[in-house]
Amino acid sequence: MFEAEAAPTEEVLEEPKTQEERMAEIQARFDILDDMAEACKEGTVRALILSGPPRIGKSYGVTTKFEQTSMFDNLQSVNKWEVVKGATSGLGLYKKLYQYSKAGSVIVFDDCDTVLFDDLSLNILKAALDTGKKRIIQWNTESRVLDREGIPDKFEFEGAVIFITNVKFDMVKSKKLASHLEALMSRCHYIDLTIDSTEDKMLRIKQVVRLGMLNGYNFPDVKAVEEMIIDYMTTNQKKMQELSLRMAIKLAELIKIKPDDWQSTANVTCLKRGA
């Protein structure tokens, strides 16, 4: 007897998401980021890695949350958090971690991806993010800089670290770097904003612009200006010099300068040559 062949199963295709549904998914991840940033400030979470493309407001949400929760610190003239941008050396990283080593302090490393490609910096960072009860960071070579500034060659780090990066940790091809990044991920909460396409970037820009990003410009009808900027960027998204929140701000500045003829200037200053 031959068993009857099972009938082939039909593949169920998911309905494509609407723009509003996709925007809700993106916003949900940024809402999680807000919660995690606050938990870092409170000391509940020690370490967070945030991965996403540049110029979509990754650091804006973090710094806004800290500014809202740090009013009491400001009244006491106490700096309990700092955003560190750009390249930093292993020694510079060590000094910064010591400066913000107390409980309740947070360091936000924004666009400091050079740290990921330096073995010394990575080892220091791994020690700072360790999940043990005590996180001891050591500097094992002589340093006149540390001696001169009175910084010890060993200290306990009790603060929190947020690392904002354009690198997707789970998609790195270099085996050596991937192993280092896996070690960091195992020590941290990891949020990938999943904004990977031009369409997703445009949706995020639309989202932030409509959340009141342009309110400080005092436009008589800010909602109308928001829609003009969104329409212009949507129409020209493949021609823009860059698709970013900064570009939305540039367009707002042009509308402020030349409200009746801003597009002529935008076509020259904001679009790629020959577009």
Side-chain angles (χ1 to χ4, degrees):
M1 295 289 292
F2 294 96
E3 293 183 5
E5 291 186 3
T9 57
E10 292 186 5
E11 185 178 353
V12 179
L13 298 177
E14 291 186 7
E15 289 288 331
K17 293 182 175 68
T18 65
Q19 283 195 2
E20 295 303 321
E21 288 172 337
R22 182 63 187 128
M23 287 170 71
E25 289 180 345
I26 293 171
Q27 186 58 51
R29 288 183 176 257
F30 276 88
D31 290 342
I32 292 171
L33 170 60
D34 286 348
D35 293 340
M36 298 296 285
E38 188 170 353
C40 286
K41 189 72 173 62
E42 294 171 348
T44 308
V45 169
R46 292 182 174 186
L48 172 66
I49 296 170
L50 176 64
S51 173
R55 298 177 292 278
I56 57 161
K58 296 193 301 295
S59 58
Y60 173 79
V62 173
T63 55
T64 300
K65 176 60 67 174
F66 286 170
E67 286 167 357
Q68 291 171 349
T69 59
S70 298
M71 292 181 66
F72 183 72
D73 293 342
N74 293 338
L75 290 173
Q76 293 184 313
S77 299
V78 175
N79 292 322
K80 300 196 74 173
W81 64 277
E82 182 180 339
V83 177
V84 179
K85 288 180 173 285
T88 185
S89 65
L91 183 60
L93 176 63
Y94 183 88
K95 289 169 57 180
K96 192 59 67 176
L97 289 168
Y98 176 74
Q99 183 181 351
Y100 290 90
S101 61
K102 299 302 181 184
S105 300
V106 186
I107 310 175
V108 182
F109 291 102
D110 185 10
D111 196 22
C112 293
D113 291 347
T114 52
V115 170
L116 303 176
F117 302 95
D118 177 65
D119 287 343
L120 174 59
S121 297
L122 267 172
N123 287 329
I124 293 172
L125 196 56
K126 284 191 284 187
L129 305 180
D130 193 65
T131 53
K133 285 187 176 181
K134 284 195 173 186
R135 291 169 286 166
I136 304 299
I137 303 177
Q138 291 181 282
W139 186 265
N140 294 319
T141 58
E142 288 187 20
S143 171
R144 293 180 181 177
V145 174
L146 297 183
D147 291 341
R148 185 170 62 248
E149 297 184 19
I151 298 175
D153 58 10
K154 180 171 73 172
F155 65 91
E156 181 179 358
F157 183 73
E158 300 177 285
V161 173
I162 298 177
F163 200 88
I164 300 175
T165 177
N166 304 331
V167 176
K168 283 186 172 289
F169 278 40
D170 52 350
M171 296 182 68
V172 170
K173 294 181 179 180
S174 165
K175 290 184 178 179
K176 180 181 178 182
L177 181 57
S179 65
H180 282 307
L181 299 186
E182 285 174 9
L184 290 182
M185 284 180 66
S186 71
R187 292 163 163 81
C188 303
H189 293 273
Y190 179 74
I191 301 176
D192 182 348
L193 294 175
T194 68
I195 301 175
D196 302 318
S197 65
T198 299
E199 291 76 15
D200 281 347
K201 286 183 183 179
M202 194 62 237
L203 289 176
R204 178 58 185 167
I205 292 166
K206 183 187 297 186
Q207 197 170 56
V208 177
V209 168
R210 286 178 174 169
L211 284 172
M213 189 180 79
L214 306 180
N215 288 347
Y217 288 89
N218 299 317
F219 290 111
D221 187 352
V222 68
K223 293 300 179 185
V225 173
E226 289 172 358
E227 294 310 311
M228 283 194 295
I229 289 173
I230 290 168
D231 288 345
Y232 182 86
M233 293 185 71
T234 301
T235 301
N236 297 287
Q237 58 186 279
K238 294 183 179 179
K239 304 175 185 178
M240 306 295 294
Q241 291 177 355
E242 67 174 23
L243 203 59
S244 68
L245 291 172
R246 292 175 189 168
M247 185 58 72
I249 289 172
K250 289 179 182 179
L251 292 173
E253 291 170 348
L254 294 181
I255 294 172
K256 197 73 176 176
I257 297 168
K258 301 178 67 176
D260 297 323
D261 191 31
W262 64 273
Q263 290 194 32
S264 298
T265 305
N267 291 342
V268 173
T269 64
C270 298
L271 301 185
K272 296 174 184 175
R273 184 176 179 181

